[in-house]
Amino acid sequence: MASLERSKLIGVIDAGTNSVRFVIFKLPEFEEIAVHQIRITQIVPRDGWTEHNPVEVLEAVRLCAVEACHQVEKLGYLVKDIAAIGITNQRETTVVWDKNTGEPLYNAIVWNDIRTDKTVDRVLARLPEQNHNHFRALSGLPISPYFSALKLNWLKDNVVAVRKACREKRCYAGTIDTWLVWNLTGGPQGGAFVTDVTNASRTLLMNIETLHWDPLLTKTFSVHPDMLPEIRSSSEIYGKVKDSSVLDGIPISAILGNQQASLVGQRCLKEGQAKNTYRKGCFLLYNTGTRCVQSTHGLVTTVAYQMGRNAPPVYALEGSVAVAGVAMNWLRDNLKIIKDIKDSEQIAGSVSSTGDVYFVPAFTGLYAPYWRKDARGIFCGLTSFTTKHHFVRAALEAVCFQTRDIIEAMKKDCGINLNKLHTDGIMASNSLLMQLQADLSGIPVLKTEVHEPAALGTAMAAAQANGVDLYKLEAEIRGYAGVQSHHETFLPTTTEEERNARYTKWKMAVQRSLGWAVSKKSEAMTDERYSLLASIPAGLFLATSFLMLVHSQRR
């Protein structure tokens, strides 16, 4: 059997925020035949900070690979039947290490960490009008704690070992994909120091048009280009594993940030197609084709993928929601309103509406399209009849409203109405949430039956790389290599008038969430903000607010 199936397997390293997985797919159907998963320790030095031990992540990859390979051997395959390996990873998470020893210089700072608030303020203070969109035309991104450049800036300013390594030109910096590839292909003994265009586009250091590190950006954030990896396409052979492990000798032929990988796995390969992933946060990507669309409505421009060195890059507009599943965790762990997140669908479904309650879960600020780090969580519209059921339903609706915010911004940027939304992620298993999304956005929602589209998309990219040549990725084919994809469809059941009335109240609730987190060194609130709050009519809602800074976790 092994000889017949030789070079018909693809392995995928899926390095997420909470866990690492190694998945093995069988071609040509891309059938998942083996998987092993290990949880990653969440290091929380203080509220709002999140770190990972990079060595733990690397070791988890190796252990998962060993266990998954044992599984396929029991099925009659050989490890050498794995033709190539792809990597998909949590984005923006930043690692610094000594290029001579391979030792990390600090823990990885995770994408949702907000310690760089003051770093952002210092950068903005040097820019005209303190405009957080100052570098958007160059990078596609606003200046935000979210992106890697700010994390690198913080590391240099606050960690002596990093500062010393930078002075001595022995500091390497990268996202999780770079850390893994460098180590797996040899580390200090000639490891490939690379990243792909999707991950590089999340750093605030890459020129979104040229796909190279931009001199102005690296200078602004005090990052020497020698610290940064070479930017490559998302689908090519970067090197072979030289790790004395079960994977030794297998080429690594794909790298994709996890949300871009999900876009590929969902087959949203044509301009105008979009997908939303519902996990700890929400991540909506809209394929704009080879057009690099600069958002003027609060979205980020990102590289969706580049399938080969000579292939044109495909771009996307992205809106990121910091708090989706995190809100359900908060209701369970902090307020004790629900015992199990799986119960949220039943509890929320036991009432026909939220009772006019609105919840803005801005625990660590608001991401797209607002980009307000001073926002904090708030409940509006409480009455003596409000129950926990209304709270839970309002938390689900908050996910949908935040998604609609992004859809509305995309409509304004592209001038095109989205006609359907592909969905995935663990929260997509909540059918009430999917129906609410259709009702509140007014478009059909198509939930994929593929369990992990990010791993699938990465496997496709790895299989089609030049030199592997086991698959041809084409936008015109909807199925997965000849196997048709299936979706559960949720159609809107509300009128346009109803959904717009609800959305108007959501926007009013958002306004009330702004301006809570103000640093002591700055003015308490600007005159403009006072004017804004004063202009809101009193008595529209009975409101109570929760002022908090709860650590946000992911995907």
Side-chain angles (χ1 to χ4, degrees), residues 143 165 225 262:
I143 300 169
S262 176

Side-chain angles (χ1 to χ4, degrees), residues 254-301:
I255 302 172
L256 281 162
N258 54 9
Q259 300 309 321
Q260 286 94 333
S262 176
L263 188 78
V264 175
Q266 284 266 33
R267 301 291 305 192
C268 294
L269 304 176
K270 289 183 179 180
E271 182 178 348
Q273 293 180 319
K275 71 90 199 175
N276 196 21
T277 296
Y278 298 77
R279 298 179 75 88
K280 299 291 186 183
C282 267
F283 304 88
L284 200 161
L285 269 70
Y286 177 97
N287 187 325
T288 63
T290 55
R291 288 191 305 148
C292 182
V293 177
Q294 292 290 348
S295 175
T296 57
H297 296 90
L299 304 179
V300 304
T301 304

